[in-house]
Amino acid sequence: MSIIVQKFGGTSVANAECIKKVAAKIIQSKERGHQVVATVSAQAGMTDRLIGLAKEITLEPDPRELDQLVSTGEQMSIALVCMTLHAMGHSAISMTGGQVGIVTDSVHTKARIQNIKTDAIRSELDKGQIVVVAGFQGMDEEGHVTTLGRGASDVTAVALAAALDAELCEIYTDVDGIYTADPRVVPDATKLDAVSHDEILELASVGAKVLQSRSVEVAKKFHVPVCVRSTFTERPGTVICSRVKGFEDVPVCGAALSRKESRITIAGLPDSPGVAARVVGAIGDRHINIDMIVQSFPLKTRADISFLVRDTDLSQALRVCEELKDELGAESVLPEGEIARVSAVGRGMVDRKGIAARMCSALGAKGINIKMITTSEINISVVVDAEHGEETLRTVHECFGLHKLPPATPATDVPADLRLSELDPMEGLHVQMVELDADQAELKVVDLADKPGEAGRLLGALAEAGINLDIVLQNSCSSGISVTVKRSDVERARAAIGSMAEPIAPQPVQVGDGIAKVSVSGVGLRSHAGAASTVFGVLAREGINIEMIGTSEVKISVIVPEADGERAAAELRKELALDN
Ligand code: ADP
Ligand code: ASP
Ligand code: MG
């Protein structure tokens, strides 16, 4: 008999009425002949309430005790769902993460699943029971209760489906699928019938709350069929698959807003190899994720490094940065809140010209000032003042015509990357390849005017000249914009900037020395803080300077001096035990 895993989020179990609807969905699947494992979240608001209780006592609760506390939210829900199933005439048994055998590491409040023992669930299923599992929690090897991070009942569901080799994992929520943007912020967002792993992985990682990004990592690695749909309607939902048919001409298929981020700048760092590695490594060691890492062009011998960090990690990250400041002899650590990050995501932006220009120009036309830009192969992100976050998201959505995308269907699936037995621990980092591209040149434009529209004007001039940009980075306006282009495009790019009707900057464009791009691809490269630390660490050990960085969940790219490219790629392959 085939197994179906169904996950119900906090709003789906918010009260007795909702829980009855959940029970009805579960029973429907059982009556269709499936064995059903349901996993549920805490009731909406409950996890926040429990965290609030802890914070009334201390602002920095002990992480083990915090896990012990917040895991009770899910424990309430499983019992209530089982009682409802019993009342509706079905046999069901609830299990906590520990009772199931969801074994995690010991990183309290953001633990990762190592493996799942399936014997207990299977034996209950074989007795005809519906099994209801608490989401978001597990137990480490020493028997301590752990939780997996906010929103991570999704991870529980997909990991259970992988471990049980389920036919389908259904994520039931309060919207009827994955939209091109959060429908609460963008009323004309379109529901996607299908979306690829890479795109939803990236969207989830940059703020689309509808799925926890780690759940997509697990789905991609183990090829778990996942569908996101509504608890409250019968509509078909969104299928997550390896590739989508119908989006061949679509550069961007979704946009996301992340409000809960702050920027930290460590200013006045010595400009020497190994400094960026030390910063990224020290933060990664504390399991803190950072992103949009931008180094400014060094003024004489001093450089700044800026990055974004989630608000929940801010105080810990600041403590680490203060230590780094003293250790490395930096001048200051500058935190900046009240910012928002907006990202456009699409596999189709690879090799298409003018995508970043289109986005920046649209924001310029609305008078929205861009404080920071970074790009990777499948993502363009900008930082704006928090008050402009929602308008920025709507503008980006509109400029890529996301309200009228063509229909998409899942393409024939490619085989799974891995069999479960091949990746231990289950949520471990999966690195696939190191690539070297030596055909790159770096252009820098410094001292841009600090007013809306300047980035769009510069990128627009390059797009009009038919020049494809690879990585685009901007920190503050005074530090300017850096782009990488193909070597053969350098002169045309220089000419295009030089002949702009209104000059973009007081100084001519600077063309850097020869550079090479080294990229590491895999799954979950951003969510595993250790991945960037490893890449940076290897380059530091080799004394190789990192000039630019582009990160996404599926790729970390670093720009290094041309002469070091081969060695950087070779050392990374060695470190990551890859033979490609
Ligand atoms: P659950 O409690 O079921 O896990 P969440 O609140 O975590 O639900 O996620 C569902 C919410 O995600 C939706 O109500 C919606 O506002 C938000 N959301 C953000 N981005 C998207 C998107 N691209 N598509 C659909 N919903 C989104
Ligand atoms: N209850 C947890 C949270 O609110 C997990 C989840 O809902 O997925 O973050
Ligand atoms: Mg959720």
Side-chain angles (χ1 to χ4, degrees):
M1 208 187 278
S2 67
I3 299 177
I4 286 204
V5 176
Q6 300 183 318
K7 179 257 172 178
F8 298 91
T11 39
S12 303
V13 291
N15 53 45
E17 267 324 290
C18 293
I19 293 179
K20 282 188 198 147
K21 296 205 172 78
V22 164
K25 290 270 184 209
I26 296 172
I27 292 167
Q28 197 181 49
S29 298
K30 174 106 205 278
E31 286 178 344
R32 284 185 184 146
H34 300 291
Q35 292 185 321
V36 186
V37 176
T39 177
V40 291
S41 294
Q43 293 185 301
M46 180 58 73
T47 307
D48 286 335
R49 202 144 64 234
L50 292 168
I51 294 172
L53 285 178
K55 297 258 159 109
E56 275 177 31
I57 292 174
T58 164
L59 285 180
E60 302 222 0
D62 177 75
R64 180 190 182 278
E65 301 311 323
L66 188 60
D67 276 355
Q68 192 84 305
L69 176 67
V70 294
S71 60
T72 60
E74 271 68 14
Q75 201 166 330
M76 274 175 66
S77 296
I78 51 173
L80 292 171
V81 170
C82 275
M83 289 172 193
T84 311
L85 287 164
H86 296 164
M88 291 165 83
H90 289 262
S91 45
I93 180 166
S94 67
M95 288 184 169
T96 63
Q99 286 169 336
V100 167
I102 299 181
V103 182
T104 72
D105 61 26
S106 304
V107 184
H108 284 289
T109 76
K110 21 174 125 159
R112 282 181 180 265
I113 299 176
Q114 312 265 42
N115 58 70
I116 300 184
K117 302 190 172 91
T118 53
D119 303 354
I121 295 188
R122 283 192 193 276
S123 113
E124 295 301 337
L125 289 174
D126 290 343
K127 286 187 228 157
Q129 300 267 38
I130 294 165
V131 182
V132 184
V133 179
F136 171 62
Q137 57 177 263
M139 195 170 264
D140 72 4
E141 300 277 7
E142 279 79 51
H144 303 291
V145 173
T146 53
T147 66
L148 311 177
R150 297 306 307 263
S153 294
D154 298 335
V155 182
T156 307
V158 182
L160 278 171
L164 292 163
D165 201 13
E167 182 182 310
L168 180 62
C169 177
E170 292 178 312
I171 306 284
Y172 282 98
T173 182
D174 57 0
V175 276
D176 55 9
I178 298 172
Y179 280 68
T180 47
D182 187 343
R184 289 178 209 278
V185 182
V186 185
D188 62 352
T190 342
K191 196 190 98 190
L192 298 164
D193 296 326
V195 66
S196 74
H197 288 128
D198 288 356
E199 284 161 319
I200 184 61
L201 180 57
E202 190 64 16
L203 278 169
S205 163
V206 295
K209 188 187 168 208
V210 61
L211 272 183
Q212 220 272 8
S213 72
R214 277 165 46 204
S215 68
V216 190
E217 283 179 39
V218 178
K220 178 173 175 176
K221 284 191 300 203
F222 303 113
H223 221 230
V224 180
V226 177
C227 171
V228 177
R229 54 196 306 191
S230 165
T231 305
F232 307 104
T233 71
E234 286 299 318
R235 293 197 200 112
T238 303
V239 173
I240 300 176
C241 50
S242 315
R243 271 177 196 278
V244 162
K245 244 194 308 199
F247 278 180
E248 292 73 16
D249 297 323
V250 170
V252 169
C253 72
L257 163 66
S258 175
R259 296 182 174 89
K260 297 184 177 158
E261 314 242 15
S262 297
R263 173 161 64 173
I264 298 181
T265 301
I266 308 182
L269 283 160
D271 179 37
S272 53
V275 168
R278 181 71 195 109
V279 172
V280 172
I283 293 173
D285 286 347
R286 311 296 215 287
H287 303 277
I288 299 171
N289 284 113
I290 59 172
D291 197 27
M292 292 189 78
I293 308 163
V294 183
Q295 281 176 274
S296 67
F297 321 135
L299 293 168
K300 300 200 180 98
T301 54
R302 299 261 134 192
D304 300 344
I305 182 163
S306 300
F307 48 83
L308 298 194
V309 56
R310 299 263 150 88
D311 285 355
T312 41
D313 288 326
L314 180 62
S315 55
Q316 209 193 348
L318 281 173
R319 264 201 306 274
V320 182
C321 291
E322 285 294 339
E323 286 164 24
L324 285 166
K325 182 187 95 177
D326 298 338
E327 176 192 318
L328 298 170
E331 279 153 19
S332 51
V333 175
L334 310 163
E336 186 186 354
E338 304 292 307
I339 56 163
R341 167 193 191 154
V342 173
S343 308
V345 171
R347 287 165 72 128
M349 66 174 72
V350 184
D351 291 335
R352 273 206 184 78
K353 301 179 180 74
I355 304 300
R358 203 192 304 177
M359 178 158 152
C360 294
S361 305
L363 296 176
K366 288 266 167 76
I368 299 171
N369 207 11
I370 300 172
K371 300 171 83 99
M372 203 171 179
I373 308 172
T374 63
T375 67
S376 77
E377 271 199 336
I378 61 167
N379 165 2
I380 303 169
S381 289
V382 295
V383 169
V384 296
D385 283 328
E387 58 175 327
H388 298 308
E390 296 199 352
E391 194 191 354
T392 302
L393 180 66
R394 285 189 284 268
T395 305
V396 170
H397 195 268
E398 190 190 330
C399 88
F400 291 114
L402 298 185
H403 56 287
K404 50 173 192 315
L405 287 183
T409 49
T412 321
D413 262 349
V414 293
D417 279 342
L418 293 167
R419 280 196 307 276
L420 202 53
S421 55
E422 286 171 317
L423 192 66
D424 183 26
M426 192 171 186
E427 280 200 82
L429 176 64
H430 178 44
V431 180
Q432 288 158 310
M433 201 165 33
V434 173
E435 287 161 293
L436 172 68
D437 174 359
D439 182 27
Q440 296 255 324
E442 181 184 1
L443 302 178
K444 295 173 187 176
V445 179
V446 291
D447 278 337
L448 252 66
D450 187 10
K451 61 179 187 198
E454 290 299 275
R457 225 158 54 74
L458 172 65
L459 301 179
L462 292 167
E464 243 167 66
I467 292 162
N468 201 4
L469 306 178
D470 191 351
I471 299 183
V472 178
L473 296 181
Q474 176 199 347
N475 199 352
S476 61
C477 285
S478 56
S479 67
I481 293 191
S482 271
V483 300
T484 61
V485 300
K486 282 202 178 315
R487 292 238 174 120
S488 52
D489 283 340
V490 168
E491 283 319 312
R492 275 193 311 130
R494 206 201 295 258
I497 298 171
S499 60
M500 285 172 70
E502 192 192 321
I504 190 83
Q507 298 176 43
V509 54
Q510 300 173 16
V511 181
D513 296 333
I515 51 167
K517 182 172 82 167
V518 183
S519 306
V520 178
S521 18
V523 185
L525 290 167
R526 189 191 293 126
S527 74
H528 287 261
S533 313
T534 304
V535 172
F536 282 53
V538 168
L539 299 180
R541 189 184 69 207
E542 294 299 310
I544 298 173
N545 219 357
I546 299 170
E547 312 214 349
M548 289 167 87
I549 304 146
T551 54
S552 72
E553 285 290 352
V554 291
K555 205 170 246 195
I556 297 178
S557 297
V558 288
I559 298 289
V560 299
E562 184 186 0
D564 295 327
E566 292 276 358
R567 189 159 52 93
E571 289 301 322
L572 281 168
R573 283 187 193 114
K574 219 188 292 164
E575 180 79 18
L576 299 165
L578 295 169
D579 49 16
N580 70 324

